[in-house]
PDB file of all heavy atoms in Angstrom:
ATOM      1  N   THR G 225      -6.473  14.164  -2.637  1.00 49.00           N
ATOM      2  CA  THR G 225      -6.721  15.605  -2.709  1.00 49.00           C
ATOM      3  C   THR G 225      -6.751  16.059  -4.161  1.00 49.00           C
ATOM      4  O   THR G 225      -7.585  16.873  -4.554  1.00 49.00           O
ATOM      5  CB  THR G 225      -5.620  16.373  -1.952  1.00 49.00           C
ATOM      6  OG1 THR G 225      -5.567  15.888  -0.614  1.00 49.00           O
ATOM      7  CG2 THR G 225      -5.909  17.865  -1.947  1.00 49.00           C
ATOM      8  N   GLY G 288     -21.487  65.642 -35.222  1.00 84.00           N
ATOM      9  CA  GLY G 288     -20.445  65.269 -34.277  1.00 84.00           C
ATOM     10  C   GLY G 288     -20.923  65.007 -32.870  1.00 84.00           C
ATOM     11  O   GLY G 288     -20.131  65.028 -31.921  1.00 84.00           O
ATOM     12  N   ALA G 295     -30.267  61.514 -27.663  1.00 86.00           N
ATOM     13  CA  ALA G 295     -31.445  60.936 -27.007  1.00 86.00           C
ATOM     14  C   ALA G 295     -31.688  61.600 -25.656  1.00 86.00           C
ATOM     15  O   ALA G 295     -32.838  61.870 -25.283  1.00 86.00           O
ATOM     16  CB  ALA G 295     -31.252  59.429 -26.832  1.00 86.00           C
ATOM     17  N   LEU G 316     -40.934  77.311 -21.508  1.00 95.00           N
ATOM     18  CA  LEU G 316     -42.081  78.160 -21.851  1.00 95.00           C
ATOM     19  C   LEU G 316     -41.671  79.575 -22.272  1.00 95.00           C
ATOM     20  O   LEU G 316     -42.138  80.062 -23.323  1.00 95.00           O
ATOM     21  CB  LEU G 316     -43.067  78.206 -20.679  1.00 95.00           C
ATOM     22  CG  LEU G 316     -44.368  78.982 -20.935  1.00 95.00           C
ATOM     23  CD1 LEU G 316     -45.124  78.369 -22.116  1.00 95.00           C
ATOM     24  CD2 LEU G 316     -45.237  78.979 -19.680  1.00 95.00           C
ATOM     25  N   ASN G 398     -41.514  50.535 -35.882  1.00 79.00           N
ATOM     26  CA  ASN G 398     -41.885  50.317 -34.488  1.00 79.00           C
ATOM     27  C   ASN G 398     -42.105  48.839 -34.173  1.00 79.00           C
ATOM     28  O   ASN G 398     -41.792  48.374 -33.074  1.00 79.00           O
ATOM     29  CB  ASN G 398     -43.155  51.112 -34.170  1.00 79.00           C
ATOM     30  CG  ASN G 398     -43.434  51.171 -32.691  1.00 79.00           C
ATOM     31  OD1 ASN G 398     -42.633  51.673 -31.907  1.00 79.00           O
ATOM     32  ND2 ASN G 398     -44.580  50.637 -32.276  1.00 79.00           N
ATOM     33  N   TYR G 439     -13.166  16.873   5.992  1.00 76.00           N
ATOM     34  CA  TYR G 439     -12.552  15.543   6.059  1.00 76.00           C
ATOM     35  C   TYR G 439     -11.071  15.616   5.698  1.00 76.00           C
ATOM     36  O   TYR G 439     -10.207  15.103   6.422  1.00 76.00           O
ATOM     37  CB  TYR G 439     -13.272  14.583   5.105  1.00 76.00           C
ATOM     38  CG  TYR G 439     -12.524  13.291   4.882  1.00 76.00           C
ATOM     39  CD1 TYR G 439     -12.520  12.296   5.870  1.00 76.00           C
ATOM     40  CD2 TYR G 439     -11.817  13.074   3.704  1.00 76.00           C
ATOM     41  CE1 TYR G 439     -11.812  11.113   5.675  1.00 76.00           C
ATOM     42  CE2 TYR G 439     -11.115  11.899   3.500  1.00 76.00           C
ATOM     43  CZ  TYR G 439     -11.106  10.919   4.489  1.00 76.00           C
ATOM     44  OH  TYR G 439     -10.409   9.761   4.297  1.00 76.00           O
ATOM     45  N   TYR G 460       8.437  15.099   5.857  1.00 69.00           N
ATOM     46  CA  TYR G 460       7.951  13.756   5.510  1.00 69.00           C
ATOM     47  C   TYR G 460       7.420  13.731   4.070  1.00 69.00           C
ATOM     48  O   TYR G 460       7.731  12.820   3.292  1.00 69.00           O
ATOM     49  CB  TYR G 460       6.856  13.359   6.491  1.00 69.00           C
ATOM     50  CG  TYR G 460       6.200  12.033   6.192  1.00 69.00           C
ATOM     51  CD1 TYR G 460       6.911  10.836   6.325  1.00 69.00           C
ATOM     52  CD2 TYR G 460       4.875  11.973   5.790  1.00 69.00           C
ATOM     53  CE1 TYR G 460       6.314   9.610   6.055  1.00 69.00           C
ATOM     54  CE2 TYR G 460       4.266  10.767   5.515  1.00 69.00           C
ATOM     55  CZ  TYR G 460       4.987   9.581   5.651  1.00 69.00           C
ATOM     56  OH  TYR G 460       4.381   8.387   5.385  1.00 69.00           O
ATOM     57  N   GLU G 505      35.477   3.289 -44.556  1.00 61.00           N
ATOM     58  CA  GLU G 505      36.366   3.455 -45.706  1.00 61.00           C
ATOM     59  C   GLU G 505      35.748   4.379 -46.747  1.00 61.00           C
ATOM     60  O   GLU G 505      36.416   5.223 -47.340  1.00 61.00           O
ATOM     61  CB  GLU G 505      36.659   2.088 -46.328  1.00 61.00           C
ATOM     62  CG  GLU G 505      37.539   1.209 -45.452  1.00 61.00           C
ATOM     63  CD  GLU G 505      37.764  -0.174 -46.062  1.00 61.00           C
ATOM     64  OE1 GLU G 505      37.262  -0.384 -47.194  1.00 61.00           O
ATOM     65  OE2 GLU G 505      38.401  -1.017 -45.436  1.00 61.00           O
TER      66      GLU G 505
END
Side-chain angles (χ1 to χ4, degrees):
T225 304
L316 184 59
N398 192 60
Y439 167 76
Y460 176 68
E505 290 177 3

